[in-house]
Amino acid sequence: MEYKRSSALFAEAQKVIPGGVNSPVRAFKAVGGDPIFVKSAKGAYLYDEDGNTLIDYINSWGPMILGHAYPAVVDAVIDKAKKGTSFGMPTQIETAIAQKAIAMVPNIDKIRFVNSGTEACMSAIRLARGYTHREKIIKFAGCYHGHSDSFLIQAGSGAVTFGTPNSPGVTQGTAKDTLLANYNDIESVAALMQANKDQVAAIIVEPVAGNMGCIPPQEGFLEGLRTLCDQNGTLLIFDEVMTGFRLAKGGVQERLGITADIATYGKVIGGGLPVGAFAARAEIMDYLAPQGPVYQAGTLSGNPLAMAAGLAMLTALEDDAIFTRLDEKTAYLHKGIASALSENKVAHTINRIGSMISVHFSEDAVVDFATAAKGDNATFKAFFHGMLSQGIYIAPSAYESWFITDALTYADLDKTIAAVGTVAKTL
Ligand SMILES: *Cc1c(COP(=O)(O)O)cnc(C)c1O
């Protein structure tokens, strides 16, 4: 496959956009080479600027769970656009999507819509701080909650300690209020709660981690967080930006049966338009302005095009059979990739839950950030470029989950598994 035109477009983009991209993960920094410029997409396929067709395993990093250009979503957006694209006044469709989301997700009475997952998580911790009158939060190394200051904090040498910023521009003042724990390590959380008695407003967690590859919570981990929160008057925030409307209609709260105090959404909920949301029981949500004292706002929040796309998407996802099909397709892929890698003696670990799956090039169990970081990066790079040359587009980073779409056919999956077999021989 040739990527001449993409490379030329990338060179042009770099002159006017930092790094040539509007979000860093789109560049191929982790794997080398130039990113691919996409021209259009339909169902499970991407059509790039050089005329190549690729089977897509990123799907806009999650939103396109039913495939690209899903007709009901496209039609809803076109129809809405003709009636005006933004008003800055209430519209009925905002209530309609709120009612729909509340009916699909357990434990939420009210929901507020914003424009991204970042905004949702940022607003959720402000709400938690306002509600509890406390300042500190606990997050987990390797969990991503968007790019707002409080979350750009990483562990120093795996130690459970005060966070240090991992981006210039994040102040020490902000960093000191973010405490870091290790995923799947309830003792690390208990120790922080003990050392910061009556100061922790919220624990925020990806209830199934997806930003260090896919890492499911071990038995008892989420239950342990729930108990610690209940004992300490701390709110439990599930960041369901990736898992919401993906692992089940009601996300992880439904799939694993654990109750969060606040849940955040993004990705699928917007059907491919910029939407985020956060939701909780009424008593917490009523702390938000204009009803309550915690300020949060947005000129384009609840935008009619975005709400139309989201409502069409959620309506389509009311059919539980979709989630069963997604699970079955992903399990089929899991089995096929595992045997292709094993036959070629490539050391690997595959993590999967529902339609989230990741291939780690390490034989050790991947349960947290430290074990995810053990994967062999050189092998991943070779794997990524090998798959690309076979027309399979996976995320250009070893720390990403693959996002399975219902538009994938078993023929697509077989083609993908065959490509893994071919590439595995070269690893
Ligand atoms: C993608 C993601 C975010 C950030 O959402 P954006 O829409 O990119 O701002 C937050 N949390 C999780 C778990 C995510 O996967």
Side-chain angles (χ1 to χ4, degrees), residues 116-119 121 144-147 206 211 239 241-242 267:
S116 68
T118 294
E119 238 188 288
C121 294
Y144 181 66
H145 305 294
H147 65 92
E206 288 182 67
N211 286 287
D239 177 350
V241 171
M242 193 183 291
K267 300 195 169 110

Side-chain angles (χ1 to χ4, degrees), residues 25-269:
V25 78
R26 294 177 198 168
F28 280 12
K29 271 199 112 156
V31 290
D34 293 343
I36 295 164
F37 276 59
V38 65
K39 196 167 192 175
S40 68
K42 177 73 189 164
Y45 309 116
L46 294 169
Y47 304 101
D48 74 19
E49 289 280 1
D50 286 276
N52 304 304
T53 300
L54 302 167
I55 300 180
D56 188 8
Y57 283 98
I58 306 181
N59 286 291
S60 185
W61 306 89
M64 318 319 294
I65 193 169
L66 300 177
H68 291 284
Y70 187 73
V73 172
V74 173
D75 292 348
V77 171
I78 291 171
D79 186 52
K80 264 289 171 223
K82 289 178 180 159
K83 294 171 183 151
T85 56
S86 183
F87 311 110
M89 296 166 72
T91 53
Q92 194 268 325
I93 195 169
E94 294 164 79
T95 309
I97 186 173
Q99 287 167 336
K100 182 79 74 187
I102 289 164
M104 293 170 84
V105 174
N107 316 314
I108 63 171
D109 301 322
K110 294 189 180 184
I111 185 165
R112 178 160 282 176
F113 288 92
V114 293
N115 305 291
S116 68
T118 294
E119 238 188 288
C121 294
M122 179 187 84
S123 306
I125 55 161
R126 183 182 305 141
L127 176 59
R129 284 168 164 158
Y131 180 81
T132 59
H133 305 283
R134 296 174 179 184
E135 299 199 344
K136 293 189 194 302
I137 59 164
I138 293 176
K139 82 171 280 284
F140 295 88
C143 278
Y144 181 66
H145 305 294
H147 65 92
S148 85
D149 287 5
S150 301
F151 300 125
L152 290 181
I153 312 292
Q154 220 176 34
S157 66
V160 178
T161 176
F162 287 111
T164 47
N166 66 352
S167 167
V170 176
T171 65
Q172 289 294 344
T174 298
K176 80 173 177 21
D177 289 327
T178 300
L179 310 173
L180 256 156
N182 292 324
Y183 201 78
N184 276 327
D185 178 359
I186 197 70
E187 289 309 318
S188 71
V189 187
L192 287 175
M193 291 294 249
Q194 186 65 38
N196 296 274
K197 234 167 171 27
D198 302 327
Q199 294 178 66
V200 180
I203 297 175
I204 184 165
V205 65
E206 288 182 67
V208 168
N211 286 287
M212 41 185 167
C214 167
I215 302 185
Q218 289 174 337
E219 191 76 44
F221 176 59
L222 296 177
E223 292 84 345
L225 295 182
R226 181 68 271 169
T227 305
L228 281 173
C229 283
D230 290 343
Q231 289 168 347
N232 290 279
T234 296
L235 298 184
L236 181 58
I237 304 176
F238 274 8
D239 177 350
E240 298 232 38
V241 171
M242 193 183 291
T243 54
F245 306 96
R246 170 169 288 278
L247 293 183
K249 271 203 302 260
V252 175
Q253 290 201 78
E254 174 188 331
R255 186 158 181 139
L256 300 181
I258 295 164
T259 304
D261 296 303
I262 304 178
T264 61
Y265 298 93
K267 300 195 169 110
V268 174
I269 201 171

